[in-house]
Amino acid sequence: SARGTYPNYNDNMSASTPKQFAIPASAIGTTWGTAYNKFTNKVFVSAVIRRHAGMGPLGVGGIYIITPTPTSATAAPFLDVSALGVDVGTFGTNASRGLGALNARTADPTAFSAIGKIGIGDLDISDTGDTLYFVNLHQKSLVAIDISQFNADGITLPTSSQVSSFTIPDLIGCVGGEMRPWGLKAYKGAVYV
C-alpha cells in the first residue's frame, strides 16, 4: 500500500500541517515510483515487484493515480503501460505466485529473479506536468508518455502514439556485473537517469 505525507502546495511551498493518507494494498498493490503533478493535484505511483507482496489490479506494468483532498485520498488505476506496447516483461499473477490466502506460507520463487529486471523502476513528471517518465527495467530504457490530453480533460488516456522510448546507454562500462538502471529525476527540462 502507499502511505504519504504531502504538504498543501497551495501555500507557496510553506506547508502548514502535513496531510496523511492510506491507500489499501488491494487498490494499487506494491508501488515504488512516485510523481506529483502540481498542475492537476494528482500523484502517479507505479507498480513494483516485491517478494511475498501482491501486485495491484494492473499488474507489473501498472500506473495508478492518487487524488489527495484536504481530508482523504482516493486511488484509481491509470493505465497498464503494456497495453500501450511498452514491453516491461511478464510476471505471474498474485494467485500463481501463491499469494492471497491468509496465514498460508509462500515461497514466491519467481519474484526473487525478477526484482530489478522486470517492470517499472522510478517514475517522475516533467516540470511542465505534461510528460510522465519512467525507467523500463526490462528494456533498460527511459519511457516518456505525453499526458497533456489527460491533464486537460481528466478522461482521455494516452495511446501508443504518445509513447516514446529511449535506450539508456551504459556510459561507464559496467564490469563484473550488468547495468541495471532504476532511478530518474526530471529537472529544469532535462531527465537524469
Side-chain angles (χ1 to χ4, degrees):
S1 66
R3 295 183 88 58
T5 301
Y6 296 93
N8 183 349
Y9 285 95
N10 294 326
D11 291 342
N12 295 324
M13 298 306 286
S14 61
S16 52
T17 305
K19 312 284 189 280
Q20 294 186 1
F21 61 85
I23 302 294
S26 60
I28 60 174
T30 54
T31 61
W32 178 270
T34 305
Y36 176 70
N37 190 338
K38 63 185 177 182
F39 301 103
T40 62
N41 192 37
K42 303 284 186 199
V43 180
F44 294 86
V45 294
S46 59
V48 71
I49 298 171
R50 294 182 189 207
R51 196 164 181 211
H52 304 290
M55 304 295 288
L58 295 177
V60 72
I63 297 177
Y64 302 87
I65 293 179
I66 298 173
T67 305
T69 68
T71 58
S72 66
T74 58
F78 176 55
L79 60 92
D80 176 357
V81 298
S82 302
L84 298 179
V86 179
D87 180 9
V88 292
T90 57
F91 192 63
T93 64
N94 294 341
S96 72
R97 295 168 56 203
L99 304 175
L102 292 177
N103 301 320
R105 293 182 182 187
T106 64
D108 200 11
T110 57
F112 188 77
S113 61
I115 294 170
K117 300 174 187 174
I118 294 175
I120 298 172
D122 201 5
L123 178 77
D124 208 350
I125 198 160
S126 64
D127 297 328
T128 58
D130 61 0
T131 305
L132 191 63
Y133 297 101
F134 69 87
V135 174
N136 179 341
L137 302 175
H138 184 62
Q139 297 289 325
K140 298 181 184 176
S141 61
L142 172 67
V143 178
I145 302 175
D146 181 346
I147 59 170
S148 55
Q149 185 60 46
F150 178 78
N151 289 345
D153 65 17
I155 298 170
T156 306
L157 295 178
T159 64
S160 58
S161 66
Q162 293 160 313
V163 176
S164 301
S165 184
F166 310 92
T167 300
I168 299 170
D170 183 358
L171 298 176
I172 58 172
C174 184
V175 177
E178 190 170 337
M179 178 189 78
R180 295 283 178 201
W182 185 280
L184 67 90
K185 178 66 180 167
Y187 182 68
K188 293 189 176 183
V191 179
Y192 301 89
V193 180

